């Protein structure tokens, strides 16, 4: 009997190898497998930022787009990348699993970047260069633009699939029931953020320099090669990976509760909530995970959704066992959906931060192209490399918060985390307002210098003002991102119900996506209203009023902050809400963000 027991101890009950056999702890998973997955994430960030931060200069300088349309192209590209993460997550959770999703979408991303490199290398896929006086400047034709968009959105599709699965598949390599491996998993997410940062730094420094001084084909070619290398390394670890069974998408649960409630909208709710269908009654066929769910108390908010759990009195108990989830949901499923709905006001009021974030890769870079970027007499900083201050600010803010701000806040606010998740988000929103104020004042300064030197009508000349005037806005947004990022992720991770824990990543990524799309919408509206006579966003920035656009964002952010504070005051944390009912919250599994 000892040998079989020893064999069982060596295998994991909830993980399988690539052949579908139980995995052995000693020969699979752990840091070796996780390291192969981390390389893919580093390459993904290298690709996304390596393209996005310097794309606006290519669109205006080579493809002859206007400033407004260039900014919208960049924000639409980034918005689509993050929105497709939701599709990638759905595909991974429901159909392919995380491994196949990563393998497939990494190949798609490599294809997109390769096409982009080709489009920058073939002269016929770019419009002819402008004359020195800028009078004869032909915009890119439909074929050239189409080729560019195919490359960008194939890259966005690949990015979406990767982001949705990389962190989750990395965490699958560690067994949470083993104390040592659970500790290793926490370390894994620290390294995950480190690789994101390294990829970001490489993108905004080395890659941008190669694109500007060696050539775009070389810059994008390096990205494509890095993705292929990361992809090959990832595939080479196939025999070592641990695979988990498909759990289904939380979007399906939300949809099924809404459908069941709607179909029973004319039915009367029982006065006693214990008469509603719940997890301790019977499991719905095909939903084995329900037996692991923590039973949640009934709440009086959004009572319309309770109708999804109304039992059909005309059906026998035995027939109810086989009922479809689209017709009947447990009360716990309903309460989990309510938890998500309660988070929506906070979710909605964090979107605008990422609209401000988008300006760091668009108009701030456009401003930098017009200013003096020299260090010394010979070296000139690429305009897009100014985002190194943005990335550096993030990397500095995280340890400063951890080592300085958090201990002080713990002492005075008596909160175990120092600042609560919502307080951290609030700090990030305040910093974003200050960033837009700084950006507006800097742009006013830049325009005054341009006017005093007679450069208003000559965009080809450099405005004699050092580009380092732009540093404050990059630092403030970078620091704001660190607070908002940490606060949002912590909030969604803690507050999402355990049965829908992958929803935390989806909620977070959707705020980024909608923030970028809102930037595109706002730019389009402003450009249309201000017109060509007195444009805020002119193709020649020296003739525009970009500072008004920054002031508009600052005002919208102040209004958004007020709404956020109202929502934060109204919101009751899940832990406190359950404690009031006398229920102890079970420890949630950690879910990393891609």
């Amino acid at each position: 009997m000892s040998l079989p027991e020893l064999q069982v101890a060596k295998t994991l009950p909830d993980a399988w190898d690539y052949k579908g056999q139980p995995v052995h702890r000693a020969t699979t998973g752990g840091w070796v497998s996780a390291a192969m997955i981390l390389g893919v994430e580093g390459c993904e960030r290298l690709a996304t930022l390596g393209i996005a931060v310097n794309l606006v200069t290519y669109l205006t300088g080579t493809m002859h787009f206007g400033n407004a349309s260039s900014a919208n192209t960049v924000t639409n590209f980034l918005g689509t990348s993050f929105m497709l993460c939701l599709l990638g997550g759905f595909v991974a959770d429901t159909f392919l699993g995380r491994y196949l999703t990563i393998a497939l979408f990494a190949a798609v991303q490599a294809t997109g970047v390769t096409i982009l490199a080709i489009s920058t290398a073939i002269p016929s896929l770019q419009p002819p260069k402008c004359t020195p006086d800028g009078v004869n400047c032909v915009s890119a034709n439909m074929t050239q633009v189409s080729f560019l968009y195919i490359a960008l959105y194939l890259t966005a599709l690949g990015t979406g699939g990767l982001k949705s699965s990389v962190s989750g598949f990395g965490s699958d390599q560690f067994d949470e029931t083993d104390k040592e491996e659970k500790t290793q998993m926490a370390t894994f997410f620290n390294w995950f953020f480190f690789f994101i940062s390294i990829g970001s730094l490489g993108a905004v420094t080395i890659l941008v320099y190669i694109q500007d001084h060696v050539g775009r084909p070389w810059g994008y070619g390096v990205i494509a090669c890095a993705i292929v290398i990361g992809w090959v390394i990832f595939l080479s670890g196939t025999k070592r990976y641990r695979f988990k069974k498909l759990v289904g998408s939380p979007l399906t649960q939300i949809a099924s509760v809404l459908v069941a409630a709607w179909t029973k909208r004319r039915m009367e709710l029982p006065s006693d909530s214990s008469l509603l269908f719940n997890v301790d009654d019977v499991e719905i066929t095909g939903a084995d995970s329900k037996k692991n769910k923590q039973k949640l108390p009934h709440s009086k908010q959004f009572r319309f959704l309770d109708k999804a759990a109304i039992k059909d009195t005309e059906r026998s108990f035995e027939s109810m066992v086989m009922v479809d989830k689209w017709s009947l949901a447990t009360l716990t499923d309903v309460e989990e959906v309510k938890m998500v709905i309660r988070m929506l006001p906070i979710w909605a009021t964090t979107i605008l931060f990422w609209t401000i974030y988008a300006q760091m890769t668009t108009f701030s870079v456009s401003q930098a192209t017009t200013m003096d970027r020299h260090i010394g007499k010979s070296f000139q900083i690429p305009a897009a490399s100014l985002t190194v201050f943005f990335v550096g600010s993030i990397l500095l803010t995280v340890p400063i918060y951890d080592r300085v701000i958090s201990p002080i806040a713990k002492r005075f606010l008596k909160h175990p985390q120092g600042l609560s998740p919502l307080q951290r988000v609030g700090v990030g929103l305040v910093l974003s307002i200050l960033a837009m104020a700084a950006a507006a004042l800097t742009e006013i300064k830049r325009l005054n210098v341009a006017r005093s030197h007679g450069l208003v009508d000559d965009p080809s000349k450099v405005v004699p003002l050092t580009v380092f005037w732009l540093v404050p806005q990059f630092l403030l947004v970078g620091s704001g991102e660190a607070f908002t990022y940490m606060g949002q992720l912590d909030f969604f991770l803690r507050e999402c119900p355990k049965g829908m824990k992958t929803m935390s990543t989806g909620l977070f990524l959707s705020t980024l996506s909608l923030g970028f799309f809102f930037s595109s919408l706002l730019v389009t509206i402003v450009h249309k209203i201000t017109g060509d006579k007195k444009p805020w966003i002119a193709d020649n920035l020296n003739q525009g009023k970009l500072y008004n656009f920054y002031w508009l964002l600052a005002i919208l952010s102040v209004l958004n902050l007020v709404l956020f504070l109202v929502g934060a005051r109204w919101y009751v944390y899940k832990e406190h809400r359950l404690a009031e009912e006398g229920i102890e919250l079970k420890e949630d599994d950690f879910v990393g963000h891609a």
Side-chain angles (χ1 to χ4, degrees):
M1 291 295 291
S2 60
L3 287 177
E5 288 176 3
L6 183 62
Q7 184 70 16
V8 170
K10 288 182 178 179
T11 59
L12 301 180
D14 61 342
W16 292 264
D17 63 14
Y18 71 105
K19 292 182 179 180
Q21 301 297 318
V23 297
H24 290 265
R25 187 187 303 276
T27 57
T28 62
W31 266 113
V32 175
S33 300
M36 295 178 176
I37 299 167
L38 285 172
V40 176
E41 175 56 29
C43 293
E44 178 277 317
R45 186 51 61 100
L46 194 73
T48 305
L49 270 187
I51 293 171
V53 297
N54 206 24
L55 184 58
V56 71
T57 60
Y58 177 72
L59 295 175
T60 54
T62 303
M63 302 301 284
H64 306 156
F65 283 27
N67 276 322
S69 58
S70 295
N72 284 351
T73 299
V74 174
T75 50
N76 286 338
F77 164 68
L78 289 170
T80 303
S81 297
F82 288 112
M83 186 60 75
L84 287 172
C85 291
L86 302 180
L87 173 64
F90 179 79
V91 169
D93 289 341
T94 311
F95 301 108
L96 297 181
R98 289 165 177 164
Y99 169 80
L100 286 178
T101 301
I102 294 171
L104 174 63
F105 285 95
V108 172
Q109 188 186 49
T111 302
V113 178
T114 301
I115 294 173
L116 185 61
I118 292 171
S119 73
T120 60
I122 300 176
S124 62
L125 293 177
Q126 304 159 28
K129 292 183 178 180
C130 299
T131 55
D133 56 9
V135 176
N136 187 15
C137 210
V138 181
S139 298
N141 60 40
M142 184 62 69
T143 302
Q144 294 162 342
V145 172
S146 298
F147 206 85
L148 174 67
Y149 282 174
I150 288 171
L152 288 177
Y153 287 102
L154 271 177
T155 303
L157 178 61
T159 299
L162 284 175
K163 275 185 173 297
S164 64
S165 300
V166 171
S167 63
F169 192 57
S171 66
D172 287 345
Q173 306 313 306
F174 302 96
D175 178 19
E176 291 184 78
T177 62
D178 182 82
K179 187 176 181 180
E180 182 180 353
E181 289 199 17
K182 188 173 183 179
T183 303
Q184 290 176 345
M185 186 172 70
T187 307
F188 165 77
F189 284 106
N190 292 337
W191 280 101
F192 184 79
F193 184 75
F194 176 78
F195 269 75
I196 287 177
S197 304
I198 291 297
S200 301
L201 281 174
V204 302
T205 53
I206 299 171
L207 282 180
V208 167
Y209 186 85
I210 292 173
Q211 290 168 18
D212 282 3
H213 295 275
V214 181
R216 296 270 174 175
W218 284 100
Y220 296 140
V222 167
I223 296 174
C225 290
I227 296 172
V228 170
I229 292 171
W231 184 62
V232 170
I233 293 174
F234 172 77
L235 293 178
S236 68
T238 300
K239 293 183 178 180
R240 285 199 57 92
Y241 294 142
R242 296 173 183 174
F243 298 82
K244 302 290 180 74
K245 69 176 183 179
L246 300 180
V247 296
S249 171
L251 294 176
T252 305
Q253 178 180 330
I254 294 174
S256 64
V257 168
L258 293 176
V259 169
W262 177 255
T263 55
K264 298 177 182 178
R265 62 189 181 278
R266 302 186 190 282
M267 298 178 70
E268 291 292 330
L269 281 169
S271 56
D272 187 355
S273 63
S274 64
L275 298 176
L276 295 171
F277 193 64
N278 212 340
V279 289
D280 51 6
D281 288 333
V282 63
E283 290 178 22
I284 298 176
T285 301
D288 295 337
S289 63
K290 292 187 184 331
K291 64 186 178 183
N292 295 322
K293 284 192 176 183
Q294 180 180 17
K295 184 178 178 181
L296 298 175
H298 177 252
S299 63
K300 295 181 180 180
Q301 285 180 308
F302 316 117
R303 292 202 67 198
F304 167 78
L305 295 176
D306 293 344
K307 294 187 176 184
I310 296 177
K311 299 176 185 178
D312 189 347
T313 55
E314 297 180 0
R315 301 184 63 166
S316 66
F317 182 82
E318 289 75 14
S319 66
M320 203 179 296
V321 174
M322 303 302 294
V323 76
D324 183 71
K325 65 183 178 182
W326 297 94
S327 302
L328 181 64
T330 68
L331 186 59
T332 291
D333 282 343
V334 173
E335 289 301 323
E336 288 182 339
V337 173
K338 288 182 181 181
M339 285 183 177
V340 174
I341 293 175
R342 289 188 192 101
M343 290 189 288
L344 292 183
I346 302 299
W347 169 85
T349 50
T350 55
I351 291 173
L352 193 60
F353 175 85
W354 300 106
T355 298
I356 289 175
Y357 172 98
Q359 311 317 310
M360 298 302 103
T361 58
T362 54
F363 294 126
S364 292
V365 175
S366 296
Q367 285 176 286
T369 59
T370 69
M371 301 169 74
D372 180 11
R373 292 179 277 119
H374 283 91
I375 297 179
K377 294 183 178 179
S378 57
F379 183 75
Q380 187 178 48
I381 307 171
S385 286
L386 215 62
T387 49
V388 72
F389 293 102
F390 171 76
V391 177
S393 177
I394 297 171
L395 296 178
L396 283 173
T397 301
V398 172
I400 289 174
Y401 172 79
D402 189 47
R403 301 294 182 182
V404 180
I405 299 175
S406 181
I408 295 174
K410 285 179 183 178
R411 183 181 303 172
F412 289 99
L413 300 179
K414 308 300 182 183
H415 191 280
Q417 293 176 283
L419 296 178
S420 69
L422 293 182
Q423 286 172 336
R424 276 175 274 166
V425 173
V427 171
L429 295 180
V430 170
L431 289 173
S432 71
I433 296 170
L434 297 177
M436 287 300 94
L441 294 173
T442 300
E443 177 61 7
I444 292 171
K445 171 74 174 178
R446 193 192 67 82
L447 287 177
N448 288 337
V449 173
R451 291 191 190 99
S452 64
H453 287 80
L455 301 176
V456 173
D457 298 318
D458 191 356
S460 62
K461 295 289 180 65
V462 174
V463 176
L465 181 68
T466 177
V467 76
F468 293 108
W469 275 88
L470 297 175
V471 169
Q473 63 203 60
F474 282 98
L475 291 178
L476 286 167
V477 173
S479 184
E481 190 204 347
F483 277 100
T484 304
Y485 184 108
M486 290 189 297
Q488 268 189 292
L489 194 55
D490 193 7
F491 175 75
F492 291 133
L493 282 169
R494 291 175 181 275
E495 298 305 300
C496 267
K498 186 174 182 179
M500 302 169 65
K501 64 179 184 176
T502 55
M503 193 71 186
S504 59
T505 301
L507 285 169
F508 179 85
L509 293 174
S510 62
T511 61
L512 273 74
S513 176
L514 293 174
F516 288 120
F517 284 135
F518 184 67
S519 177
S520 298
L521 176 64
L522 199 60
V523 168
T524 301
I525 293 173
V526 166
H527 195 55
K528 190 169 184 178
I529 292 176
T530 58
D532 296 325
K533 293 183 179 180
K534 294 182 179 180
W536 287 9
I537 307 169
D539 292 341
N540 176 3
L541 285 183
N542 296 340
Q543 295 178 342
K545 297 180 180 179
L546 184 59
Y547 58 87
N548 280 339
F549 183 70
Y550 286 143
W551 285 127
L552 174 63
L553 282 173
I555 293 170
L556 291 176
S557 296
V558 169
L559 297 175
N560 180 73
L561 177 62
V562 172
L563 293 176
F564 170 80
L565 293 174
V566 172
R569 187 171 181 81
W570 169 80
Y571 189 83
V572 179
Y573 284 100
K574 179 174 66 174
E575 182 181 3
H576 298 154
R577 191 168 56 250
L578 294 181
E580 291 175 357
E581 300 288 338
I583 297 175
E584 184 178 352
L585 184 66
K586 292 181 181 178
E587 182 181 357
D588 281 355
D589 298 327
F590 187 84
V591 183
H593 155 62

